Amino acid sequence: MFSSIGFVGCSQNSKHAVVSKGQTVKSVYDITQYIPEETKDISEANFVEKVSSQIKHYDKEPLYYFRINKQNCLVRAYINDVNIYDDYELSNVITPIEISNILKSGPQKVTVKMYPVGDLINKDLGLENEPPATILSDKAKVDISVVMMDNKSKKGFDDEKIITTEVNPKGAAGKEFYEFSFTFNAEVPYEFEGWEKGQDLRKLNQELLRKKAVEFYQMVGKLYLNKDLNSLIKLDYVSNVRTMATAYVDKQYVLEFLEEYKNDVEKYEYKMQDIKDFDIEFMGEGKLVRLINRSQRPKLRGGSALLLTYGSNSSFAPEITLYLPEGRDLATQGFMMWK
């Protein structure tokens, strides 16, 4: 689903609301200060109608995708300095990867970060006692294509138009990390503000920034524990509208999205893990921030520092990306959710 949030920590005394059918959950937080005025009346009851009314349709509805083929390396991909795809497995993804945060027509910057494979190849070969790879080998390679297709097409392979194909420049071998960038031009019929009116978070007090980011993640985690669907819907409503509008989705998609979101929130009895061993990642030219897990496990690595566990061995890490609009005080008002 499009909704994004992250891993959180809380004490064992956090309340779990017992929700019966038809019962309204009382929020454990007053989230009013964290949301824009236009989202305060958003709820499960009107979410589908509200979102659908803001999605426009056009004669041409271009969609852009990545096709990434990697060899002997792990990758993270960014568009306009915002991370949209991580791959910490040896295998490649066959299906195209939708580029979901093109905000307006014009040049789009793609950045690919390459990392060593660690012990993944050793495990495949039954050589667990061999030391893990800590540098990129001379066989490490990434080729990445940007393709476009019209949303109104059948979206088959024959409908793809290759915009550009790039291969990592020579020089990766022997390094612990390698990064390369390129640009392509996108033509889209919409325009979103993005993070332009956010503050440069790198220039703020970093101790305070860390504290307020953790507090926000904890708040989101406790909303999940309390099964507070309406508060969560309000927090990331703007993000969901933006993401679904750029994909030109129909009303049925929005309805199914809400059902999936509701399932994520209400189906499981979550436990929230302590927020620890995380890194702070700035994106969007320093105007966006998120807390990412330091775990080297492929399914957790690079993900949100808010980890909700359930069942015998399952986990859910809602993504959370935060920003601070111009004129908003971090100490007294705190972050808002960008996605």
Side-chain angles (χ1 to χ4, degrees):
M1 63 192 284
F2 285 129
S3 171
S4 5
I5 300 178
F7 318 161
V8 182
C10 73
S11 71
Q12 295 300 315
N13 295 323
S14 295
K15 290 184 178 179
H16 292 252
V18 178
V19 184
S20 59
K21 188 173 181 181
Q23 178 180 348
T24 300
V25 176
K26 184 176 181 180
S27 180
V28 293
Y29 283 93
D30 178 5
I31 65 165
T32 305
Q33 72 183 74
Y34 303 111
I35 58 176
E37 186 66 33
E38 63 268 23
T39 71
K40 292 179 180 178
D41 68 338
I42 301 298
S43 68
E44 177 188 355
N46 63 16
F47 178 85
V48 174
E49 292 298 329
K50 291 283 189 178
V51 173
S52 300
S53 69
Q54 296 192 59
I55 298 174
K56 298 179 181 179
H57 291 278
Y58 310 88
D59 292 337
K60 293 183 179 181
E61 297 181 343
L63 296 169
Y64 291 85
Y65 298 85
F66 286 147
R67 283 194 177 276
I68 300 177
N69 178 49
K70 68 185 193 321
Q71 300 174 28
N72 294 286
C73 65
L74 311 177
V75 300
R76 304 187 77 198
Y78 293 71
I79 182 78
N80 300 324
D81 199 33
V82 177
N83 174 244
I84 66 166
Y85 177 71
D86 294 343
D87 188 350
Y88 296 112
E89 307 279 359
L90 290 179
S91 58
N92 283 302
V93 176
I94 299 174
T95 55
I97 303 148
E98 186 171 353
I99 303 174
S100 59
N101 62 334
I102 293 176
L103 301 174
K104 60 184 178 181
S105 295
Q108 315 293 322
K109 181 180 179 182
V110 177
T111 301
V112 179
K113 298 182 178 182
M114 302 169 59
Y115 301 88
V117 296
D119 61 358
L120 295 182
I121 290 179
N122 294 351
K123 288 181 178 178
D124 273 9
L125 298 176
L127 302 173
E128 286 86 349
N129 293 328
E130 294 295 317
T134 57
I135 60 174
L136 291 161
S137 75
D138 56 4
K139 296 181 180 179
K141 180 183 177 182
V142 174
D143 61 75
I144 176 171
S145 295
V146 176
V147 301
M148 185 272 288
M149 67 179 74
D150 195 301
N151 184 53
K152 296 184 176 181
S153 70
K154 294 181 179 179
K155 298 183 184 177
F157 188 79
D158 292 339
D159 296 307
E160 292 185 3
K161 176 184 177 182
I162 297 177
I163 304 300
T164 185
T165 298
E166 303 287 336
V167 180
N168 63 281
K170 294 180 179 179
K175 296 183 178 178
E176 297 179 357
F177 158 82
Y178 189 77
E179 176 181 319
F180 68 97
S181 299
F182 63 92
T183 60
F184 71 94
N185 192 64
E187 295 183 8
V188 294
Y190 54 78
E191 182 170 340
F192 288 93
E193 178 183 289
W195 54 86
E196 290 180 1
K197 294 185 179 180
Q199 299 178 43
D200 189 339
L201 304 173
R202 298 167 298 187
K203 298 179 180 179
L204 302 182
N205 180 303
Q206 294 302 292
E207 182 178 348
L208 176 63
L209 180 140
R210 178 188 179 97
K211 176 178 180 289
K212 301 302 275 188
V214 169
E215 286 177 358
F216 198 105
Y217 275 54
Q218 289 174 332
M219 176 183 73
V220 171
K222 290 177 182 178
L223 292 175
Y224 271 96
L225 296 186
N226 202 50
K227 302 184 186 298
D228 190 348
L229 177 64
N230 283 324
S231 289
L232 289 164
I233 284 174
K234 288 178 171 66
L235 280 175
D236 61 6
Y237 174 77
V238 174
S239 168
N240 284 324
V241 168
R242 180 180 64 244
T243 307
M244 286 192 268
T246 62
Y248 322 103
V249 303
D250 58 21
K251 189 173 182 178
Q252 181 61 31
Y253 179 96
V254 182
L255 179 61
E256 292 172 1
F257 169 86
L258 177 61
E259 288 304 308
E260 184 177 349
Y261 198 154
K262 184 176 180 180
N263 183 72
D264 286 345
V265 174
E266 298 182 352
K267 183 176 181 180
Y268 305 104
E269 292 299 325
Y270 291 115
K271 294 181 180 178
M272 186 166 60
Q273 303 303 302
D274 290 340
I275 300 182
K276 58 184 180 180
D277 297 328
F278 63 86
D279 291 312
I280 295 176
E281 181 178 30
F282 295 104
M283 303 184 298
E285 300 170 333
K287 296 179 179 180
L288 303 175
V289 68
R290 64 179 186 166
L291 309 181
I292 59 175
N293 200 325
R294 285 180 181 164
S295 172
Q296 293 302 296
R297 291 170 55 191
K299 294 188 181 301
L300 296 180
R301 183 176 176 182
S304 170
L306 171 60
L307 189 61
L308 305 174
T309 57
Y310 61 96
S312 58
N313 193 29
S314 299
S315 62
F316 171 50
E319 295 179 14
I320 303 175
T321 301
L322 304 175
Y323 82 121
L324 193 68
E326 293 175 351
R328 187 175 175 89
D329 181 68
L330 179 59
T332 60
Q333 297 173 291
F335 284 110
M336 299 183 77
M337 185 180 290
W338 190 77
K339 107 170 179 175

